[in-house]
Amino acid sequence: MADPLEELREAARVALPPVEGEVAVAGLREPVEVLRDRWGIPYLSAASQDDLWFAQGFVQASERLFQIELALRAANGRLSEWFSDLTLPSDRFARTVGFHRIGALEADRWTDPSRSMMRRFVEGARAWVASMPAPPLEYAMLGMSADLPQDLEMWAAGFAYLAWGLSGNWDKELLRLRLSELLGASAAEALLPPAPVDPGPAAGSLAGRLLEGLPRSSGRGSNNWVVAGSRTASGRPLLANDPHLLAQQPAAWFELHLRAPGYEARGVAFPFAPGIVVGTTSHHAWGVTNVSGDIQDLYVERLNDTGTAADFDGTWEPLEVRSETIEVRGGRAVTFDVRETRHGPILETATVGVGGTEFVPIDGTFALRWAAADGLLEPSSLVDLVRATSFEEFRQALRGLSSPGQNVVYADVEGTIGYQCTGRFPIRRAGEGSAPVPGWTSEHEWDGYLPFDELPWSKDPGSGFIVTANNRIHDEDYPHLIGLDFHTPYRALRIAHLLSSNDAASVADCGSIQVDTVSLPAQRLLPHLVSIDSTNDEGAEALDRLRRWDGDLRADSWEAAVYEVWLGEIAARALGAEDDPETFAAYFASRESFVCSALPAMLESRRPPPVGGSWDEILAGGLAAALRFLEERLGDERTAWRWGALHRVRFAHPLARMPGLGPVFVAGEHELGGDEQTVLQAGFDAHLGFDALVIPSWRVVVDLADLDASRAVLTTGQSGNPASPHWNDQSALWAAGELRECPFSRPAVEAASERSMLLVPE
């Protein structure tokens, strides 16, 4: 009897792309050379940029076709054509927010160079579909055919979908509203420092106050830094970057080297788009982190009795009603109306959890204004970034990165290091964007965006290094509002501390920093947590070990396991999780505010817990519960407990959810140290357990003294095909905190090359 899994693997093998020899491709104008190294990373060399973008589309589709189409379907609200009712909430949300509508606007805004660049990429991707030896395994399993769209609008929607995951803070506004109404002003102030707000639609129920610093549901983050030659062993700059995204398979990025007259760069690309997003040229390198600025506002709308018009300054403005139809697998269709006010679409549901994949109804009439609707990423700006010959030219090219706003660090071979904040940040007539505001008055409208020239930037600072880690990127004297909900500064502080203590930094040093698991919040909290006495030997032993612990959340750490579980038990008791589990789950899913702000502030000031009782009772009861939990999960042999046994990362293809398919579609599972506040980002959804969900999606260290000495690693591998040797060949390196070579010069590329293919016009 045939083995079903082996049959699947064989179907995957049949769909593997060619990587050697001569391949004729319709639509190509001149030959394109494609070299691949031992990791399957392609080096594309073309005679023109037109052919380069075409070949990039062809190669990326050959490795990631299903991933590309899945992303485009998610962005355009078309997943249910494949997955039926399972994805209806996601499709409905996408159509309501209108990623596809924003995509249509964006494609129309693109310059001619951008449109040409995108069109050639799409033509190349579609050329692969027309010539592939067999469809990827996923299509056969779903009983579907590959269907990459021709319309650029649908591809532009992918940029909107990407921007959504890195935007803020509409979800936080709703959470602030909910917590304040449920807890009341005094309990809310004990939980988190309050933020004053203008009189608004819910001012009565909020007692005029809203909470500051609640967690982001997305949980995304990143680290980057540059070190001047004055602080490196080589005398030339170093640049490090590790963008933090949700764990996924295939990897979030596609790594490659692109070369044509007027353009050469190595780095990573979005699987669905042309150009290098983060990378290196022969002259400079750049890295990005999310700004975490506030580019979303919720407006509470007053509608007329029929729900067809919204009040604005005493006038009833008719709503714009758009009929949306979602085709559902099986021949069914779901049609619904999206209503829009002048501020944007009226939302029906909100996403919750770190993954943002759960949808809950919204009680109220909230319209969303989002800066991304006025501009995303200009594709041709990625070419301008590469062509820049100075930091000043590089800064000007960054004007094309409108949304999501990014902290971009820069270093070049001449020794310059720099930083530029990018993005569109609204100028609000009133308020600070931390809470829903009245939509029926013009008092809270936006008056454009902060001018690019007034965004924070830096060049060659006296410190000799620049660090960003989603923390606030300006001081108190900065005159503009970019946002209030930056991530806490602990990752940035830890990186800066490690850099400042080293005057001869190397590539290896930067690589070590990227996987550092020392928790500064743990070091701050520990003296207060261990100040209690235990009534039993087990608790006393745990407290004794924690008193001697240095706060390093290593995967093999006993203390880290106890500490992390204890924090959850403390939060549940201090916040009354049993009385209101839904609110607790929404708040504590991302633990940053509680662990880094609320809990230490309350313990240091000895303010009573929000729901009553004493801290000694909560800490002691929480410790006892944590030890019981660990016994149940990890066994009675306490010496074998370790943080990594609870805290694992799983790189699984979406189809791995199907019973019995894990051996084919799970690319790797690893124990992981750290948490959301360590340099090694390993954030988790605390109401679901301890599995790491937000991780470094790519780690790179660039040596501007010798580009061939640069190092990087992907989470799993280049390929989206389970039969490929590059499906998960980097997974063990990534998990071990190691980096691999990144040859840049032509001689180094040729020396590393193991496969050679020539794409020729058909």
Side-chain angles (χ1 to χ4, degrees), residues 174-446:
L174 287 177
L175 186 54
R176 282 177 171 146
L177 188 64
R178 181 178 180 183
L179 285 174
S180 301
E181 289 177 334
L182 290 173
L183 295 175
S186 59
E189 290 181 9
L191 176 60
L192 288 171
V197 296
D198 296 329
S205 62
L206 298 182
R209 311 289 286 182
L210 289 176
L211 297 179
E212 171 64 36
L214 291 180
R216 299 175 57 83
S217 67
S218 65
R220 316 299 197 276
S222 300
N223 305 315
N224 66 16
W225 63 88
V226 281
V227 186
S230 60
R231 304 189 67 95
T232 69
S234 70
R236 293 294 178 93
L238 294 168
L239 180 146
N241 193 193
D242 53 302
H244 303 158
L245 297 171
L246 289 174
Q248 58 183 284
Q249 177 63 10
W253 302 100
F254 190 81
E255 187 170 349
L256 74 169
H257 189 138
L258 299 173
R259 179 172 177 265
Y263 183 97
E264 182 176 13
R266 177 183 176 123
V268 289
F270 300 134
F272 64 87
I276 297 296
V277 179
V278 184
T280 308
T281 76
S282 60
H283 175 263
H284 60 272
W286 69 101
V288 301
T289 70
N290 202 37
V291 172
S292 302
D294 186 354
I295 62 172
Q296 295 174 329
D297 279 351
L298 289 178
Y299 290 81
V300 181
E301 305 287 11
R302 285 178 180 167
L303 304 185
N304 61 7
D305 292 340
T306 61
T308 58
D311 181 13
F312 186 74
D313 281 348
T315 300
W316 291 107
E317 295 185 343
L319 300 185
E320 185 170 358
V321 181
R322 304 175 186 271
S323 179
E324 295 284 349
T325 299
I326 299 172
E327 302 293 335
V328 182
R329 183 169 184 157
R332 189 163 60 91
V334 174
T335 299
F336 67 103
D337 289 336
V338 175
R339 298 179 299 164
E340 291 191 28
T341 72
R342 63 167 40 234
H343 302 116
I346 295 174
L347 301 179
E348 302 175 325
T349 57
T351 56
V352 297
V354 170
T357 56
E358 301 175 49
F359 299 88
V360 297
I362 292 177
D363 183 17
T365 307
F366 296 91
L368 172 72
R369 181 152 193 194
W370 181 25
D374 294 329
L376 293 166
L377 182 151
E378 183 77 33
S380 63
S381 66
L382 299 181
V383 177
D384 296 335
L385 293 179
V386 168
R387 288 176 173 171
T389 60
S390 66
F391 178 55
E392 288 68 30
E393 289 183 10
F394 184 84
R395 285 188 63 215
Q396 294 308 308
L398 290 173
R399 292 176 181 270
L401 276 63
S402 295
S403 183
Q406 297 294 295
N407 296 307
V408 184
V409 293
Y410 166 99
D412 64 34
V413 296
E414 295 158 357
T416 300
I417 65 171
Y419 160 80
Q420 175 67 57
C421 173
T422 74
R424 291 177 180 266
F425 304 99
I427 300 172
R428 297 172 174 87
R429 293 183 188 175
E432 53 195 9
S434 62
V437 295
W440 57 82
T441 170
S442 57
E443 295 175 3
H444 296 276
E445 296 299 283
W446 291 1

Side-chain angles (χ1 to χ4, degrees), residues 34-105:
V34 184
L35 305 178
R36 283 179 168 87
D37 66 11
R38 61 174 292 200
W39 307 102
I41 296 168
Y43 174 101
L44 278 60
S45 186
S48 70
Q49 289 185 38
D50 269 1
D51 275 345
L52 184 66
W53 312 134
F54 181 98
Q56 185 183 2
F58 185 89
V59 169
Q60 288 182 193
S62 76
E63 300 279 10
R64 305 284 190 89
L65 176 58
F66 184 79
Q67 181 188 32
I68 292 171
E69 186 169 354
L70 191 68
L72 296 181
R73 285 184 174 274
N76 288 280
R78 296 182 56 206
L79 288 172
S80 298
E81 295 175 20
W82 278 358
F83 302 108
S84 191
D85 292 345
L86 180 67
T87 51
L88 265 176
S90 176
D91 281 345
R92 187 159 181 151
F93 186 79
R95 296 285 186 93
T96 299
V97 175
F99 303 133
H100 61 310
R101 295 190 295 273
I102 295 173
L105 293 172

Side-chain angles (χ1 to χ4, degrees), residues 76 99-100 103-105 107-108 110 115 151-158:
N76 288 280
F99 303 133
H100 61 310
L105 293 172
D108 189 57
W110 280 343
R115 292 185 66 83
D151 295 338
L152 294 187
E153 292 84 356
M154 299 182 74
W155 293 78

Side-chain angles (χ1 to χ4, degrees), residues 464-518:
F465 59 82
I466 302 170
V467 177
T468 82
N470 317 113
N471 53 300
R472 189 177 68 171
I473 36 80
H474 58 76
D475 58 23
E476 298 291 349
D477 294 330
Y478 184 68
H480 303 302
L481 176 68
I482 288 178
L484 297 174
D485 298 321
F486 300 106
H487 287 272
T488 51
Y490 291 110
R491 280 184 285 118
L493 289 171
R494 178 63 178 169
I495 295 167
H497 170 73
L498 294 172
L499 290 176
S500 64
S501 61
N502 187 351
D503 289 331
S506 66
V507 169
D509 293 332
C510 288
S512 295
I513 293 173
Q514 287 178 328
V515 293
D516 182 81
T517 52
V518 171

